[in-house]
Amino acid sequence: MANKFQMPRGTQDIMGEDVSLWLQVEDIIRKECEKYGYQEIRTPVFEHTEVFKFQNDSSDMVTKEMYTFTDSGERSLTLRPEGTKGIVRAFVEHKMYGNTAEFPYKLFYMGPMFRYERPQKGRYRQFHQFGVEAIGAKSPLLDAETIALGYDITRKMGIKSVQILINTLGDDESRDRYRTALKDHFRPYLPELCEDCRRRFEMNPLRILDCKVDREHPSFASAPVSQDYLNDSSREYFDRVLKALDDLGIPYVIDNRLVRGLDYYSNTVFEAVPVDAQGQQAAVFAGGQYDGLVEHYGGGQLPGVGFGMGLERMISLAREEGGIAPEVRETDAYVISMGNVGSYALKATQMLRDEGLKAETDYQGRSLKAQFKASDRVRAKVLVIIGEDEYKNNQVVIKNTESKEQFTADFDKLVETVKGIVGK
Ligand code: ATP
Ligand code: MG
């Protein structure tokens, strides 16, 4: 039996220097979002199950991967498996749809998501997503800008290997035609396909193309592609998205088989994958344009476009490519005390902190050797040494750990002197 005092399968403790990677990534994301006019929204980590579970939703995420539980008030709640649905729920609940001057309403989110999946590299049960939604406008330009934002963030993180795969599902009419074509194509092969595909066949045949079990089945290679079923306006829309990407200098590859998981996408769908990606664990961000979602929550017929980005995958890729590195811990000053100096050392430490310096001290009357070791561990640039003589004379001994220079200074001059040495 699993040890109950260990983290649950598929979760991680993020700690030590790794935290600095997360802070860097979050910082890059916030700055980029600000440039593009996105505002942060923080929705609950759990919602009523109905927010996530649509009738006829055939996605693995909804049918197999949700963490759903009943609370003590007999409500069915679900830990959010993705960001979009909660955001659109909030958009409608707070009547943001009335604020048409703000359209497209640009919202971003960042935080933990939960899916019951088989854990492996880049796939966890608790993972972190950043994502954006631009709601209330529909335009090839907005689709292209959304892709540009995701792409910019990968570049800012020092990831060079990411490629944008793009496809279009077309509008309702085009998608209906495509669905019919897919059904006609797959019908004879149904007995050979997996149980999920047989279910998808009835609920949303587009999703068969997303199947990870049957993808090598010969019927997949010969399946019809969405491009062949577009009506004129859908084709023109897609061409304008591609033209905008060309103008912005964003490299992409058209992938006729890209359909994307969630059922509410229409028109543009995209995925960013590392160029040498092997297998399907690789997409770092993915999204698309959607039409019916706001209406689903009771907010009228408003379109949207967005993506979700997996931060664990982004961080590991950025590290592999040398884009970001953990920051080493540094301290400006470590205050060492010897003998009976009361709270004099702590007072010195606080004075340094008050002036914006990073300062540490000893609390346990440890040996000199132990305190030197501690100051090394936090990479202190300056040592402030206080013994009983210094205490009596209102002085401190200051040592520059780099030049090894050491001298005595008045207590009043402590902050000024340390600042001078660390250059702050
Ligand atoms: P996949 O095909 O890899 O299962 P998905 O289609 O389920 O992906 P989305 O729902 O589009 O993924 O989520 C957007 C992004 O979130 C993905 O591109 C990926 O980077 C990340 N992501 C999704 N599921 C996980 C997970 N279980 N662990 C870590 N990251 C994930
Ligand atoms: Mg998935």
Side-chain angles (χ1 to χ4, degrees):
M1 198 167 103
N3 183 342
K4 296 300 184 214
F5 289 158
Q6 288 177 353
M7 43 187 188
R9 209 164 122 73
T11 66
Q12 302 184 91
D13 294 316
I14 301 168
M15 54 190 187
E17 290 181 343
D18 281 351
V19 173
S20 73
L21 294 172
W22 285 82
L23 292 174
Q24 289 173 63
V25 171
E26 288 161 12
D27 189 49
I28 290 170
I29 287 172
R30 283 180 200 287
K31 286 196 173 121
E32 285 304 300
C33 281
E34 199 170 354
K35 286 200 254 171
Y36 281 76
Y38 279 87
Q39 298 202 324
E40 184 168 3
I41 177 165
R42 302 185 186 197
T43 60
V45 163
F46 57 85
E47 300 262 5
H48 291 291
T49 299
E50 292 73 20
V51 169
F52 301 118
K53 196 169 197 156
F54 296 179
Q55 288 261 305
N56 283 330
D57 191 329
S58 62
S59 69
D60 284 355
M61 193 184 78
V62 167
T63 55
K64 299 180 188 163
E65 298 173 359
M66 295 211 303
Y67 278 94
T68 297
F69 60 98
T70 307
D71 75 1
S72 305
E74 299 298 315
R75 294 172 198 91
S76 176
L77 300 170
T78 295
L79 298 183
R80 61 182 185 192
E82 54 123 340
T84 307
K85 289 174 176 171
I87 303 307
V88 178
R89 192 268 311 141
F91 178 87
V92 173
E93 183 160 351
H94 303 290
K95 300 195 171 48
M96 296 181 215
Y97 52 77
N99 210 350
T100 51
E102 287 251 24
F103 286 1
Y105 220 104
K106 289 175 162 179
L107 299 167
F108 83 89
Y109 58 88
M110 193 154 36
M113 305 291 161
F114 307 85
R115 297 186 194 180
Y116 190 78
E117 302 209 60
R118 197 167 66 77
Q120 51 200 288
K121 184 177 187 290
R123 191 174 292 287
Y124 307 96
R125 291 185 176 172
Q126 172 169 341
F127 62 102
H128 296 78
Q129 257 185 16
F130 148 70
V132 299
E133 310 299 335
I135 309 174
K138 177 170 168 178
S139 153
L141 300 180
L142 185 57
D143 294 0
E145 184 198 82
T146 307
I147 294 170
L149 169 57
Y151 188 70
D152 262 8
I153 289 170
T154 61
R155 305 298 287 188
K156 284 274 169 355
M157 284 182 65
I159 299 171
K160 295 181 200 75
S161 66
V162 158
Q163 189 171 60
I164 307 289
L165 306 179
I166 189 167
N167 192 22
T168 181
L169 306 175
D171 61 7
D172 283 352
E173 185 195 32
S174 310
R175 241 167 28 257
D176 277 348
R177 292 195 335 214
Y178 184 39
R179 244 182 240 124
T180 309
L182 281 172
K183 280 188 125 172
D184 291 345
H185 172 78
F186 280 115
R187 192 169 290 112
Y189 303 104
L190 274 185
E192 297 162 37
L193 299 182
C194 73
E195 198 186 310
D196 284 335
C197 279
R198 292 202 289 273
R199 189 166 41 86
R200 291 177 185 123
F201 182 86
E202 297 304 334
M203 290 167 89
N204 185 355
L206 261 66
R207 301 291 301 283
I208 296 177
L209 298 174
D210 220 14
C211 182
K212 281 155 195 168
V213 179
D214 287 328
R215 58 192 307 130
E216 300 303 330
H217 190 274
S219 62
F220 277 55
S222 57
V225 295
S226 58
Q227 305 264 337
D228 293 338
Y229 297 86
L230 301 177
N231 54 22
D232 288 348
S233 63
S234 297
R235 168 156 303 287
E236 194 215 343
Y237 186 100
F238 190 50
D239 287 343
R240 287 175 61 202
V241 176
L242 301 182
K243 175 73 170 56
L245 290 174
D246 288 336
D247 289 345
L248 298 178
I250 295 172
Y252 59 83
V253 174
I254 297 174
D255 179 349
N256 281 321
R257 294 193 192 282
L258 185 67
V259 289
R260 296 291 314 134
L262 309 178
D263 281 343
Y264 46 77
Y265 285 119
S266 51
N267 292 297
T268 319
V269 288
F270 54 87
E271 221 171 76
V273 293
V275 178
D276 59 357
Q278 303 196 336
Q280 312 106 45
Q281 252 61 285
V284 288
F285 69 87
Q289 200 269 320
Y290 47 85
D291 278 333
L293 201 53
V294 179
E295 196 176 19
H296 175 88
Y297 293 103
Q301 266 197 358
L302 288 176
V305 56
F307 64 73
M309 179 182 275
L311 297 188
E312 282 81 1
R313 292 184 196 180
M314 286 286 284
I315 288 173
S316 91
L317 206 57
R319 275 191 97 159
E320 280 166 28
E321 297 189 19
I324 54 171
E327 274 163 11
V328 287
R329 186 170 165 193
E330 281 194 333
T331 305
D332 294 318
Y334 191 96
V335 182
I336 291 175
S337 60
M338 286 179 302
N340 194 2
V341 299
S343 50
Y344 201 60
L346 181 60
K347 168 120 177 92
T349 310
Q350 288 294 78
M351 282 168 59
L352 294 164
R353 290 173 177 159
D354 282 349
E355 290 297 316
L357 295 166
K358 287 198 246 176
E360 265 298 343
T361 189
D362 174 73
Y363 311 95
Q364 306 156 81
R366 288 183 295 181
S367 71
L368 203 54
K369 194 173 158 205
Q371 293 189 56
F372 274 118
K373 225 173 157 177
S375 72
D376 250 9
R377 201 176 45 80
V378 297
R379 292 188 181 78
K381 291 181 213 149
V382 179
L383 300 183
V384 177
I385 305 160
I386 302 177
E388 287 178 1
D389 285 348
E390 286 78 24
Y391 176 48
K392 272 186 221 125
N393 301 331
N394 257 318
Q395 289 180 319
V396 291
V397 172
I398 289 180
K399 180 171 180 179
N400 180 335
T401 58
E402 202 191 311
S403 69
K404 310 282 183 228
E405 191 194 354
Q406 181 171 322
F407 55 91
T408 302
D410 285 344
F411 192 78
D412 300 355
K413 296 274 185 303
L414 168 65
V415 174
E416 200 182 309
T417 314
V418 174
K419 274 189 165 177
I421 296 174
V422 302
K424 281 194 182 163

